[in-house]
Amino acid sequence: QMLGKSFKMMPVMVWGMVVASKRYGMSDWLVAFTVTGGVTEFLLTGPISSSSSEGTEMHGLLLLAGFLFLDGFTSTFQERLFKEHKTSKYNQMVYI
C-alpha cells in the first residue's frame, strides 16, 4: 500500500496541468517518470498477492488506481480554491 502511493507524483502533475494550468519542466517529468518506473518494476517483479482470500489482486489494484486518481484531483483542486479565495491557514484547518 505505501509503495503504491509512490505513484502519486504523476496524477498530481497531470491534474495540476488540467485544473490549475501548471507547467512542469523536463527535470520534474524525468524525476516523476524515474520514480514511477522504479515503483512499477518493483511491484511487477514481486508477489502482490495476499494471504487473505477475501479480495483479489485486481480488486486491490483498482482501489489503488481510484485512490491515486481522486487524491491527485483533491490536492490540486484544494490548492486552486485556496489561491482563488485567499483562504487563511486557519480557515483551511477548520473547514478541511
Side-chain angles (χ1 to χ4, degrees), residues 62-73:
L62 286 173
L63 287 173
L64 181 61
F67 160 76
L68 292 170
F69 178 80
L70 294 172
D71 189 53
F73 174 76

Side-chain angles (χ1 to χ4, degrees), residues 33-77:
F33 278 120
T34 303
V35 169
T36 302
V39 171
T40 302
E41 181 181 355
F42 188 81
L43 284 176
L44 291 178
T45 58
I48 59 172
S49 61
S50 173
S51 59
S52 171
S53 62
E54 290 191 23
T56 64
E57 293 172 9
M58 186 54 69
H59 183 248
L61 292 174
L62 286 173
L63 287 173
L64 181 61
F67 160 76
L68 292 170
F69 178 80
L70 294 172
D71 189 53
F73 174 76
T74 301
S75 61
T76 305
F77 195 68

Side-chain angles (χ1 to χ4, degrees), residues 22-42:
K22 287 187 173 184
R23 299 285 176 235
Y24 297 98
M26 188 58 82
S27 63
D28 295 329
W29 285 109
L30 182 64
V31 168
F33 278 120
T34 303
V35 169
T36 302
V39 171
T40 302
E41 181 181 355
F42 188 81

